[in-house]
Amino acid sequence: MRRTGPGTLIAAAVLGAVAGFVLDQVLTSSGRPTFTPAVSLPLLLVLLGGLVIALAIPIRRATRGRGATIVNPFRALRTAMLAKASSIVGAALGGFGIGLLVFLLTRPAEPSLGSLGAVIATAVCGAALVAAGLVAEHLCTIRKDDDDQQPGGDDPGLEFHSH
């Protein structure tokens, strides 16, 4: 498994931003109010980020020889995949919030403070989830052993590899 690259995160953020902008455009063109995320969404994003890091810490301790227990490799892989998914979802939702914000700020009418706050909080907490996912992904990497060289000179580095 390769670590999440910036290209993937940028693509998810751009797609999210386009989706947010287009959603508000479609809603207002049909005479409906703009979309405002629930206040609970940013809170859930932060809680998810904390949970992902909390799940990754025991894996880091075990891979560095500081943990008292042995970690199941399938649990480590699932946690690494959760971290990767969290960073991508965080980028998409952060981009979605940015798309909503751009739409609100480009309208001639002044947006309400409540909707503006929820949109900004969604974008910021999406970025926080990206950071938490990337940190957890880093915590789930293992140290490279001397005998980890693969045939053909491919160096796996500090990452899990699945085929």
Side-chain angles (χ1 to χ4, degrees), residues 23 35-49 89-90 92-98 100 115 117-129:
L23 175 68
F35 178 78
T36 303
V39 177
S40 60
L41 178 61
L43 296 174
L44 288 173
L45 294 177
V46 169
L47 288 174
L48 179 60
V89 167
L93 287 174
F96 185 77
I98 290 172
L100 295 175
S115 64
V119 168
I120 291 172
T122 299
V124 169
C125 291
L129 181 58

Side-chain angles (χ1 to χ4, degrees), residues 38-129:
V39 177
S40 60
L41 178 61
L43 296 174
L44 288 173
L45 294 177
V46 169
L47 288 174
L48 179 60
L51 176 69
V52 169
I53 289 176
L55 289 172
I57 288 173
I59 294 166
R60 174 66 168 206
R61 287 183 181 147
T63 60
R64 298 297 183 244
R66 292 183 227 139
T69 61
I70 297 174
V71 175
N72 181 337
F74 292 110
R75 177 181 172 213
L77 182 61
R78 283 190 294 266
T79 303
M81 292 302 294
L82 177 64
K84 185 178 193 84
S86 296
S87 63
I88 294 170
V89 167
L93 287 174
F96 185 77
I98 290 172
L100 295 175
L101 182 64
V102 167
F103 183 84
L104 287 176
L105 295 178
T106 58
R107 300 299 107 194
E110 186 83 18
S112 71
L113 189 58
S115 64
L116 197 59
V119 168
I120 291 172
T122 299
V124 169
C125 291
L129 181 58

